[in-house]
Amino acid sequence: MADGAQFATELPVKRPREEELNGVVSVYMEANNNGASTVELPDGIPSVIPGWFSEISPMWPGEAHSLKVEKILFQGKSDYQNVIVFQSATYGKVLVLDGVIQLTERDECAYQEMIVHLPLSSIPNPRKVLVIGGGDGGVLREVSRYASVEKIDICEIDKMVVDVSKQYFPNVAVGYDDPRVSLHIGDGVAFLKAVPEGTYDAVIVDSSDPIGPAQELFEKPFFQSVAKALRPGGVVCTQAESIWLHMHIIEEIVSNCRQIFKGSVNYAWTTVPTYPSGVIGFMLCSTEGPPVDFKHPINPIDADDGHVKTNGPLKFYNSEIHSAAFCLPSFARKVIDSKAK
Ligand code: SPD
């Protein structure tokens, strides 16, 4: 019999099945039919039909979270992906890229606040910040709470995401109103390669999942470029998937980051009910230089009210949830710690 620790490590690991990666996977259920009939749609056709939206992907085989659709507000195809906005019955407006939920009005605060304040509350006086991805503007909105920040660059590959967010999610895209923001439409990988060494205090990588346009943002050469772009003791925070679904992806990211970032390497997580498995994680690393203790914020944004007048109150983040985010379930801690050796 496997010992408990072995079992715990293996339990949450799910690997995409070959046939699901290559096959037709979009399915919807008509409203009020009790799930009796399903219809298959060809690849690339989003699974939004008046009724229910089901989020189906080879990245979470065998499960799908569904939201009741009240109205489809926007459907488009950019050079990179399918873009959809719909009004849901219970989570407000929802932004979907290639069939995957990126944000909902109701729970976007959890993700955007955590991906920004975990890194920026961990270093003194961040001045230059780079955001890769994050075209909806929510990360910008949170970065702009820091009075010490002088310059916020954002590199988003898909202009349609920016435009759609400005039109349908004004409370998220409000981040673009900050005069410290410079928007660059283009490939984040190429952008980073051209950044002079040591430019940024912090890099925040707000990517979609590693299939489609964001794939390279999860690979080792990308992390090497991030490290080069950071000053000594600079920090990076990247979207790092779910401990329930993607331990194999997380394991690889941790392993790469431990080779590249010679300051500290940590994994944190939070709840986001409309993301697969209801949780999402973040990889937080620092480069060699002034030490960064991510678990104990030294620049806590919730201790200062200066930003509330312009940005409104924080809805999710506080210093206690910051420290708690680094407490991992045993199965995840075992895998992540094993990469330290
Ligand atoms: N599984 C979806 C992960 C999406 C992460 N990025 C969301 C963008 C919100 N700014």
Side-chain angles (χ1 to χ4, degrees), residues 157-171:
I157 199 164
D158 195 344
K159 184 167 181 299
M160 189 181 282
V161 174
V162 178
D163 295 341
V164 161
S165 186
K166 285 182 176 173
Q167 186 172 355
Y168 295 99
F169 299 92
N171 295 333

Side-chain angles (χ1 to χ4, degrees), residues 55 60 100-103 111-112 134-139 172 206-209 239 241 275-276 280:
E55 191 189 48
W60 38 94
V100 176
I101 293 174
Q102 300 301 309
L103 64 85
Y111 176 83
Q112 325 262 30
D136 53 73
V139 164
V172 176
D206 177 14
S207 68
S208 45
D209 298 316
Q239 190 271 92
E241 299 299 343
Y275 282 169
I280 196 153

Side-chain angles (χ1 to χ4, degrees), residues 111-117 119 139 204-206 237 239 282:
Y111 176 83
Q112 325 262 30
E113 291 183 16
M114 291 297 269
I115 198 171
V116 171
H117 304 311
V139 164
I204 297 168
V205 186
D206 177 14
C237 183
Q239 190 271 92
F282 309 100

Side-chain angles (χ1 to χ4, degrees), residues 269-285:
W269 61 305
T270 194
T271 71
V272 180
T274 57
Y275 282 169
S277 80
V279 305
I280 196 153
F282 309 100
M283 200 68 221
L284 285 132
C285 310

Side-chain angles (χ1 to χ4, degrees), residues 7-292:
F7 176 70
T9 301
E10 283 156 18
L11 180 66
V13 177
K14 286 188 172 185
R15 292 177 193 279
R17 293 205 312 264
E18 193 95 335
E19 68 270 25
E20 277 171 304
L21 279 168
N22 299 323
V24 170
V25 292
S26 296
V27 177
Y28 71 88
M29 282 185 235
E30 298 260 0
N32 306 321
N33 70 358
N34 299 320
S37 72
T38 58
V39 177
E40 289 200 345
L41 301 173
D43 252 353
I45 302 292
S47 46
V48 178
I49 299 287
W52 291 77
F53 165 80
S54 292
E55 191 189 48
I56 296 166
S57 165
M59 282 200 61
W60 38 94
E63 60 187 271
H65 183 235
S66 299
L67 290 176
K68 189 171 185 188
V69 178
E70 287 198 330
K71 191 172 182 193
I72 297 170
L73 302 171
F74 178 86
Q75 285 192 80
K77 189 163 171 45
S78 73
D79 289 343
Y80 301 97
Q81 54 208 342
N82 288 303
V83 180
I84 288 182
V85 178
F86 69 87
Q87 179 69 47
S88 69
T90 50
Y91 277 82
K93 282 185 273 209
V94 182
L95 174 65
V96 178
L97 301 180
D98 275 348
V100 176
I101 293 174
Q102 300 301 309
L103 64 85
T104 80
E105 286 181 311
R106 180 168 158 192
D107 65 7
E108 57 88 14
C109 59
Y111 176 83
Q112 325 262 30
E113 291 183 16
M114 291 297 269
I115 198 171
V116 171
H117 304 311
L118 290 176
L120 295 192
S121 285
S122 297
I123 54 171
N125 301 316
R127 288 187 310 115
K128 289 187 184 167
V129 179
L130 171 64
V131 180
I132 301 285
D136 53 73
V139 164
L140 299 175
R141 179 192 68 202
E142 295 307 316
V143 174
S144 74
R145 291 184 188 274
Y146 292 80
S148 64
V149 169
E150 295 161 6
K151 186 171 172 47
I152 312 170
D153 286 320
I154 175 167
C155 184
E156 161 63 50
I157 199 164
D158 195 344
K159 184 167 181 299
M160 189 181 282
V161 174
V162 178
D163 295 341
V164 161
S165 186
K166 285 182 176 173
Q167 186 172 355
Y168 295 99
F169 299 92
N171 295 333
V172 176
V174 66
Y176 285 104
D177 295 348
D178 190 306
R180 295 169 292 179
V181 170
S182 304
L183 170 64
H184 310 262
I185 295 293
D187 174 21
V189 176
F191 183 90
L192 260 175
K193 276 188 191 149
V195 165
E197 207 169 323
T199 300
Y200 293 103
D201 298 291
V203 175
I204 297 168
V205 186
D206 177 14
S207 68
S208 45
D209 298 316
I211 41 176
Q215 189 166 342
E216 277 187 87
L217 306 184
F218 289 77
E219 292 169 1
K220 193 170 178 183
F222 175 74
F223 287 110
Q224 284 165 328
S225 302
V226 171
K228 191 179 129 266
L230 285 170
R231 62 148 168 93
V235 292
V236 59
C237 183
T238 73
Q239 190 271 92
E241 299 299 343
S242 162
I243 50 173
W244 288 110
L245 300 167
H246 307 122
M247 275 316 297
H248 55 297
I249 297 174
I250 296 166
E251 196 174 350
E252 197 178 327
I253 300 175
V254 172
S255 165
N256 286 335
C257 286
R258 286 209 193 277
Q259 291 166 45
I260 294 165
F261 294 96
K262 297 300 177 193
S264 56
V265 173
N266 301 267
Y267 188 84
W269 61 305
T270 194
T271 71
V272 180
T274 57
Y275 282 169
S277 80
V279 305
I280 196 153
F282 309 100
M283 200 68 221
L284 285 132
C285 310
S286 63
T287 53
E288 193 167 16
V292 179

